[in-house]
Amino acid sequence: MADQPTAQRTYSFLRFAIALQTLTIFCQAVSAGLLLTVSYGHTLHGIGARVMYGAAMLYVLAAVLAWKPGGGSPRSIWHATGFLVLASVQVVLGIAHVPSVHVPLGVLMFGLSVLALARQWSPARGLAPRGPGA
């Protein structure tokens, strides 16, 4: 098991990566709306896709670091890898202009990312901030 400060840092990095991924997926939903309303929406959505894909790769890196040097569970690696696969499918569907699958998959990815973020902050992990009376 890794020492406590190392575990705290790696879990903080994992939380940051999941939060970043969740934020970028949300921004993709916003830019998809802009895609329908403004001329520069396509450009924003394309840039956002690259940033979201990078955030998914960062999540995989953070999960590996939380597992091996951080002493955590390898389960996060499977979750992160699953997100990277979904992001890859999402990019392919976007390039192929298949909105009938692209849009619902984006909604699913956002929901799963929020769930992953909530799980990282759950008190059961023992690393969540404690409020008054906890």
Side-chain angles (χ1 to χ4, degrees):
M1 181 80 175
D3 63 344
Q4 191 64 20
T6 301
Q8 283 293 112
R9 278 194 305 271
T10 58
Y11 280 110
S12 294
F13 182 48
L14 183 61
R15 287 177 178 169
F16 169 77
I18 296 172
L20 179 66
Q21 174 182 270
T22 305
L23 178 65
T24 60
I25 294 172
F26 177 76
C27 289
Q28 281 301 92
V30 171
S31 68
L34 290 174
L35 183 69
L36 302 172
T37 57
V38 295
S39 62
Y40 55 87
H42 189 273
T43 303
L44 287 177
H45 199 66
I47 292 168
R50 289 166 179 83
V51 173
M52 182 273 304
Y53 198 78
M57 288 190 289
L58 184 68
Y59 180 21
V60 171
L61 175 65
V64 169
L65 291 176
W67 167 62
K68 198 60 173 168
S73 168
R75 181 181 291 177
S76 292
I77 297 171
W78 291 109
H79 294 165
T81 303
F83 270 107
L84 189 58
V85 168
L86 288 176
S88 299
V89 171
Q90 188 71 330
V91 168
V92 168
L93 290 170
I95 291 170
H97 301 289
V98 185
S100 61
V101 183
H102 182 75
V103 172
L105 182 57
V107 172
L108 175 67
M109 286 176 64
F110 180 70
L112 290 173
S113 193
V114 168
L115 182 63
L117 185 60
R119 288 186 63 184
Q120 281 300 315
W121 284 95
S122 72
R125 294 196 71 59
L127 297 171
R130 304 276 184 221

